[in-house]
Amino acid sequence: MKIAVCIKRVPDTTAKVRIAADGKTVDPAGVEWVIGPYEEIALEAALKLKEAGKAEKVTVLCLGPKEATKELRTALAMGADDAVLLVDGGGERDAAAVAGALAAEAKGLGADLLLFGWKAIDTDQASVPHLAAAILERPCVSFVTKLEAGDGRLLCHREVEGGTEALEVPLPCVLTAQKGLAEPRYASLKGIMAAKKKPLVEKPAPAAAAAVRTERLSLPPERPPGRILGQGVDAVPELVRLLRDEAKLL
Amino acid sequence: MNVDDFPWMEEHHRMIREAVRGFAAGEVAPRAVALDASCEFPLDLFGKMAELGFLGIPIPEELGGAGMDTLAYVIAVEELARVDGSLALGLAAHTSLGTYPIYAFGTEEQRRRWVPRLASGKGIAAFALTEPDAGSDAQGTRTTAVQDGDGWLVNGTKFYCTNGTHASTIVFTAVTGTAPGGKKEISAFVVEKGTPGLKYGAKEVKLGMRSSDTRVLHFEDMRLPAGNLLGGPESRGAGFKKFMLTLDGGRISVGAISVGLAQGALDRAVPYSRQREAFGQAIGDLGGISARLADMAVDVHAARLMVYDAALRKDRGLPFAKQASMAKLFASEAGMRATDSAIQVLGGYGFTREYEVERMYRDAKLCEIGEGTSEIQRLVIARSLSKEFGS
């Protein structure tokens, strides 16, 4: 089985996001970029399959700016075999366009299993994997929390309201990783040195296209300041009333 | 907070920073306050660092290391110190003091015997030079090694051995005779844990670096085979010189610890100064605080440049003793200034344990003392100047 793991370069979860002057994009100044946390989980799951002898090759695939070679090298240091970066030449690209570019590349790579994180934590759309599956006309299972490889098939668990669903899916297919599927490893120093010698191919991404366009980004409203209702037991009735009637928490 | 990378850095330098930072944030930072309070040596964290290859960064791959350069090692020490000075000190003592002299000065047989175990982290290394009356002044050494049949009989006491009881090998110096001219002849030896006659004193209770294991060592009629004389018979009498060369490298590590502590202080002071308001504005916009923050940032940057420069010189085979001393001196004093400022910026919070800057301040003080005090560094630098100017 050949696996392609799609990763996205996203702002670090602790980064303080500012909106750029165009009002539509994130200001990159001072932002530290990382592999999306769900994509890291997907990569770990792929590496585990390879280590268990169930997959012969793990390729990481990314559509992003030239700087995303950093994230791809990290993925190689974690243990992926090779990497492909589709260099984004700029312009707005909606989820369908991203999915189209990744699907075409994954097909070219001959990947039997195409793994994604269930969502990219920057745009929060959670639509690229399903669009890619549709374009490739392959079955898709999302929010996978456990994965076992059988003969030409995969057994997937996913969390559903109040329980777990067990699904069997034939290869080739598309899966999206949810928290719990795997605990991403740290890149070891041997891995970092080995990553230097692993192939990382850069090629231009197809021209950008967007049917869905970003109108504007806005930051969430500032939280109102806290209120002090009083002190001691006397304040409790008012606190309970507000928690019930205003915050609707009770 | 992002650390500025330098445009001349190689990709693996950025990657090792990211790798160590991830490990430090996930595994070390959540425990730093508790480890300082309990003074417990985190053996499990050494195990995890070993798995990731952190214990042999500048040692070649064929000897079990990661085969990286000194700069990569320095970056790793710095990133650990940013969240826990004690752990960074343990790693530094293991690598540049405990393992490096065996790698650099050992015979081929000694290298093969000890280095792979240490570089792969199956064992932890330590170094013992200081005695009750001797440190940077070699002639004060009282520990003796007397030839005894095929081997050596060692007696004496060493102070402040970092990694103490956890070390599987300890490199130390002893007087082996009188050199021509009447001075003490000093040689270096390796002793393995469990050797009869090697005894440990109680764990030192310290101002800072509290989870690092610091011990007094007693050598009581300790017998060592001839093969434990570091560098073999022809290296007899060269022990102190070797130790001084080791310390040159060790000073770069102490500089790196200082840079990490200073950066850690800045990491905490800046966000606090943006959140805390006084007189209707963030305190970071008030003159007194903003000037302190600016000075801290300059100190961190200058110290980092000096430490990296010394590391690069070492990597390129250039003389680096003076630069290592200067980097260690400047960085350790910058570390004290920056951690002191961070406490001041955080005010009352800074004085309490949970906000961590008081720990960094206590940890930073060690860096002005260990591997040659600031006074010794000034002496080394001044001596070097007097040589350069030919007088």
Side-chain angles (χ1 to χ4, degrees), chain B residues 137-278:
Chain B
D137 174 16
Q139 287 297 311
T141 305
R142 299 245 176 99
T143 296
T144 56
V146 179
Q147 252 178 331
D148 172 50
D150 273 354
W152 298 86
L153 185 67
V154 184
N155 279 287
T157 299
K158 293 287 179 182
F159 270 17
Y160 313 130
C161 175
T162 303
N163 295 341
T165 51
H166 297 283
S168 67
T169 64
I170 303 167
V171 181
F172 69 92
T173 45
V175 178
T176 46
T178 308
K183 284 195 166 184
K184 287 176 179 171
E185 177 195 84
I186 294 172
S187 306
F189 293 88
V190 182
V191 58
E192 293 182 9
K193 188 176 183 167
T195 301
L198 168 61
K199 295 186 177 152
Y200 306 96
K203 185 167 175 162
E204 301 288 349
V205 179
K206 308 185 293 288
L207 172 72
M209 301 291 192
R210 285 163 60 94
S211 70
S212 159
D213 188 46
T214 313
R215 300 279 176 161
V216 174
L217 306 178
H218 301 286
F219 306 138
E220 294 174 8
D221 286 333
M222 181 173 81
R223 275 171 215 283
L224 291 181
N228 288 36
L229 174 63
L230 187 64
E234 62 270 28
S235 286
R236 183 173 169 174
F240 195 73
K241 192 148 186 265
K242 286 189 169 67
F243 266 41
M244 286 300 107
L245 291 169
T246 302
L247 282 180
D248 290 341
R251 283 168 186 160
I252 301 177
S253 332
V254 173
I257 296 171
S258 305
V259 171
L261 289 167
Q263 177 70 53
L266 189 62
D267 291 342
R268 282 158 182 81
V270 176
Y272 180 83
S273 77
R274 303 309 318 161
Q275 278 164 24
R276 175 66 188 255
E277 292 189 358

Side-chain angles (χ1 to χ4, degrees), chain A residues 37 53 67 71 98 105 123 129 145-146 165 180 185 192 198 212 226:
Chain A
E67 294 77 23
E71 283 65 43
V98 174
E105 189 60 33
T123 46
T145 54
K146 192 177 162 193
E165 189 176 38
R185 66 192 67 188
I192 291 175
K198 290 180 178 174
V212 180

